[in-house]
Amino acid sequence: MDIGDMIPADDSVRLLSAVMERMDYSKLEAAYSRVGRIERSPKRLFKILVYGYMNGIYSSRKLEQACRRDVNFMYLLGREKVPDHATLARFRSERLTDVIDDLFTQLVRQLADAGELSLSSVFIDGTKLEANANRYSFVWKKSTQKHEQKLQEKMKGELPALAAGFGLRFYAGERIKAKDLKKLRKRLKTLQAQQVIVFVHGKGQRKTALQRAVETVEQYLARQKTYDDYNHSFGERNSFSKTDRDATFLRMKEDHMRNGQLKPGYNTTLAVDAEYIVGAAISQERSDSQTLIPMLKKLQGLGYTKPVADAGFESEENYTWCEENELTAFIKPSNHEKAKTRKYKSDIGRRENMPYDESSDSYRCHRGHPIRAAYEKKTRSKAGYAIVTTVYTCTECAGCPHKAQCIKGKSKTPLEERHKNLYVSKTFLRQRQQMQERIQSKAGILLRINRSIQVEGAFGVLKQDMGFRRFLMRGSIKVQTEFLLLCMGYNLNKLHSKIQNDRCGSYLHIPKTA
């Protein structure tokens, strides 16, 4: 019996098969060893995985079950034997990791060649997805540093005296390293061999002073190795999970207890054009601002000139990068909504509410006193971008009746002794003003409306409709593979929906007007 006769002509599985047949699988086939034979067709296994992600089936065991029971999966298999769940899991975690980027790019290229992408404006946003890790397996950087410092102090106090008791020298430098402890242990072991001392274990046994010294050094060595291992895993992060060391503890949107509980997860970023996902990335960053430039670098080959992003992506570094690469960015300033409120406009301590004199490069406070430029402060961002901040200071704050309303923020210095300071990056100020004008233009309003519809809509479909709220795999490389499979499934569902509703070639949603 031909199973294809049971499947409707407009079913999404036929579209999936047609699109997948046009792809080049040479890199995927090269991922297999030349020694031996390939038991299952890599192309068919890839089709099964993507079709599973299209229909919200992510577990390898459920995929195997679907291949035995579901007509559409049988159609994709052809006359091949049903793959075992271990075969599917191994294919996803080992074979696909190096080639999934190429396969995803091929799908995006097919959409572009079919005229489904505008290749002009791209909408970027991020959300946090939970990792497949124990929620209570956290390791905190500050706590690790505190305990390591206590251990170092304890070792510096004990080990020189311990070594001197056996006629050995132990130099405690600024920091005792694991290799120093190994050398001390080796010397103590040499003494044991020379004196022919047998170490005893168990109840009722009396340990020699040398054995107790060796065990003390070994305990310190084990703890120091643990702290070295933790510090290596931290990198630039403040936390990680023991069960998935690439996962960072982040504040999720699903906070049912409303207590700000942190969970292990990844910061996922999407780039959407004409409702299709054209770029997807996994990051360990807690904020979105550091993820914009890596995403735009990924999209450089497609020729996008108008990146559109939310307030979380605003930074001087991002603005400057877009200017240097001749991109007309539409990024909403972080104070855009707050600036409309009455409280914001009446706050006398805000720089925005103070008149600026360009000739003298100074601001005027609420009482009319000048706030003059004192010096320039140079800092660098996390990625190494140089920021020049001008510090403005008011020298006539003594006895001012508006001081409590003007000078805010916590400080150990009493309010009477403090002066009003303004920290202004002139480059960022110019860029934000230009952006404010750009997003309020007719084109800017249309693009901002579409950003909230398209990219936030994509996240809504992935998390709610497709039920994907937690990764199945562990490690950033495998998680990236799983996320790209999900995005490919989303794109094929979207293409099928557009074909069925006769919406092909539509790029932007035009808002209805009365």
Side-chain angles (χ1 to χ4, degrees):
M1 184 181 69
D2 187 4
I3 293 176
D5 293 340
M6 303 171 65
I7 300 172
D10 59 351
D11 197 284
S12 62
V13 72
R14 294 186 182 275
L15 175 66
L16 166 91
S17 186
V19 171
M20 293 295 170
E21 285 296 330
R22 297 181 183 180
M23 288 189 174
D24 177 18
Y25 295 96
S26 57
K27 289 186 178 180
L28 179 59
E29 289 165 359
Y32 285 82
S33 171
R34 295 183 181 180
V35 181
R37 62 191 179 89
I38 301 174
E39 291 188 4
R40 298 283 182 271
S41 166
K43 181 166 67 175
R44 291 191 188 278
L45 289 176
F46 184 63
K47 285 183 180 181
I48 288 166
L49 273 178
V50 175
Y51 190 65
Y53 276 82
M54 284 175 68
N55 292 278
I57 304 173
Y58 311 120
S59 163
S60 56
R61 292 181 185 272
K62 289 185 179 178
L63 284 170
E64 181 193 353
Q65 188 182 68
C67 289
R68 297 184 187 280
R69 298 180 179 180
D70 196 303
V71 175
N72 287 10
F73 281 92
M74 294 178 188
Y75 171 77
L76 292 176
L77 274 174
R79 296 186 180 277
E80 281 194 15
K81 194 178 176 182
V82 174
D84 184 63
H85 67 88
T87 304
L88 289 164
R90 192 163 51 247
F91 175 76
R92 178 171 56 183
S93 63
E94 295 177 10
R95 309 296 182 192
L96 273 182
T97 50
D98 294 330
V99 298
I100 188 66
D101 283 311
D102 176 64
L103 294 169
F104 179 77
T105 304
Q106 286 188 51
L107 177 60
V108 173
R109 288 289 180 188
Q110 282 195 45
L111 292 170
D113 294 341
E116 283 295 297
L117 302 179
S118 70
L119 300 178
S120 171
S121 55
V122 61
F123 308 101
I124 300 171
D125 200 5
T127 193
K128 296 174 181 68
L129 288 174
E130 195 173 343
N132 181 12
N134 191 320
R135 295 174 186 176
Y136 307 103
S137 61
F138 41 76
V139 181
W140 305 108
K141 193 171 189 175
K142 284 186 178 179
S143 178
T144 301
Q145 289 174 345
K146 182 181 76 175
H147 287 108
E148 185 181 10
Q149 187 179 357
K150 286 184 178 179
L151 176 66
Q152 287 286 329
E153 290 172 0
K154 194 174 182 182
M155 289 193 297
K156 286 175 184 177
E158 287 186 16
L159 291 181
L162 182 145
F166 297 96
L168 302 174
R169 288 185 63 190
F170 182 79
Y171 173 69
E174 188 177 342
R175 184 176 181 275
I176 298 174
K177 299 179 181 178
K179 63 180 183 181
D180 302 326
L181 296 171
K182 286 179 182 178
K183 287 179 182 177
L184 179 59
R185 182 182 63 177
K186 187 177 179 181
R187 290 173 187 170
L188 292 172
K189 289 276 189 180
T190 304
L191 282 177
Q192 178 200 357
Q194 290 172 353
Q195 298 174 14
V196 196
I197 298 174
V198 179
F199 287 175
V200 296
H201 301 280
K203 289 185 178 180
Q205 302 287 343
R206 185 176 294 278
K207 296 179 182 179
T208 61
L210 182 61
Q211 182 178 352
R212 287 198 296 271
V214 170
E215 288 179 355
T216 301
V217 173
E218 285 179 343
Q219 287 176 6
Y220 287 152
L221 177 60
R223 286 181 63 187
Q224 188 58 50
K225 278 184 175 179
T226 302
Y227 293 139
D228 291 343
D229 182 32
Y230 285 174
N231 288 326
H232 177 72
S233 296
F234 281 126
E236 295 182 354
R237 299 178 293 165
N238 292 323
S239 64
F240 70 84
S241 169
K242 290 179 185 176
T243 44
D244 181 1
R245 293 211 170 189
D246 289 341
T248 310
F249 276 79
L250 306 168
R251 189 163 275 108
M252 302 289 175
K253 289 188 176 178
E254 291 83 11
D255 186 14
H256 306 296
M257 299 294 290
R258 295 184 181 179
N259 57 357
Q261 184 185 12
L262 301 176
K263 294 178 185 176
Y266 293 91
N267 191 355
T268 59
T269 309
L270 287 185
V272 177
D273 176 19
E275 299 177 49
Y276 296 102
I277 297 172
V278 295
I282 296 292
S283 170
Q284 296 174 335
E285 298 289 342
R286 291 176 297 171
S287 63
D288 289 334
S289 62
Q290 295 292 326
T291 62
L292 181 67
I293 295 174
M295 176 57 73
L296 292 176
K297 285 179 179 177
K298 275 191 172 187
L299 300 173
Q300 276 181 330
L302 295 170
Y304 286 104
T305 56
K306 296 177 182 177
V308 186
D310 202 5
F313 294 88
E314 189 199 26
S315 71
E316 183 182 331
E317 184 179 2
N318 291 342
Y319 283 154
T320 305
W321 194 90
C322 290
E323 287 178 354
E324 289 173 353
N325 290 272
E326 299 179 353
L327 300 179
T328 308
F330 292 83
I331 304 172
K332 185 167 76 171
S334 56
N335 67 340
H336 179 70
E337 299 298 334
K338 279 186 179 180
K340 299 176 184 177
T341 61
R342 185 183 299 174
K343 183 181 177 182
Y344 188 95
K345 293 176 181 177
S346 60
D347 189 348
I348 62 171
R350 289 194 175 274
R351 178 198 55 78
E352 291 84 353
N353 298 328
M354 297 179 184
Y356 175 68
D357 184 9
E358 191 173 352
S359 59
S360 61
D361 189 19
S362 63
Y363 290 88
R364 289 277 172 184
C365 71
H366 185 67
R367 208 178 179 191
H369 296 148
I371 306 176
R372 297 187 177 89
Y375 59 94
E376 285 188 346
K377 180 182 174 184
K378 294 182 179 179
T379 56
R380 287 194 176 272
S381 69
K382 195 174 182 180
Y385 173 76
I387 302 171
V388 179
T389 306
T390 305
V391 181
Y392 294 82
T393 304
C394 181
T395 57
E396 302 178 31
C397 290
C400 180
H402 308 289
K403 198 170 187 177
Q405 291 80 30
C406 185
I407 301 176
K408 295 180 181 178
K410 294 180 179 179
S411 176
K412 293 181 180 179
T413 309
L415 182 64
E416 294 78 16
E417 300 175 14
R418 292 171 67 185
H419 296 273
K420 180 67 177 177
N421 291 326
L422 297 176
Y423 299 88
V424 181
S425 170
K426 294 181 180 178
T427 304
F428 180 65
L429 205 63
R430 172 188 61 79
Q431 291 167 337
R432 175 178 269 189
Q433 192 172 357
Q434 290 175 352
M435 196 59 64
Q436 192 76 35
E437 295 170 1
R438 191 178 296 163
I439 66 167
Q440 289 177 336
S441 65
K442 193 175 181 181
I445 292 170
L446 178 62
L447 289 175
R448 280 194 295 131
I449 289 171
N450 275 270
R451 188 208 64 82
S452 60
I453 293 171
Q454 295 199 28
V455 69
E456 290 185 13
F459 277 124
V461 171
L462 294 179
K463 295 172 82 171
Q464 185 65 30
D465 297 353
M466 298 173 75
F468 194 89
R469 291 180 178 268
R470 194 170 191 244
F471 289 107
L472 289 177
M473 303 171 78
R474 292 178 177 177
S476 57
I477 295 174
K478 293 179 181 179
V479 165
Q480 175 76 5
T481 302
E482 189 177 6
F483 193 51
L484 287 177
L485 280 171
L486 181 70
C487 294
M488 291 182 80
Y490 170 88
N491 281 348
L492 289 165
N493 277 336
K494 180 61 67 176
L495 178 60
H496 181 255
S497 172
K498 281 195 166 188
I499 291 171
Q500 297 302 311
N501 295 308
D502 196 23
R503 291 183 54 241
C504 292
S506 60
Y507 306 136
L508 296 175
H509 289 269
I510 308 299
K512 294 179 181 178
T513 55

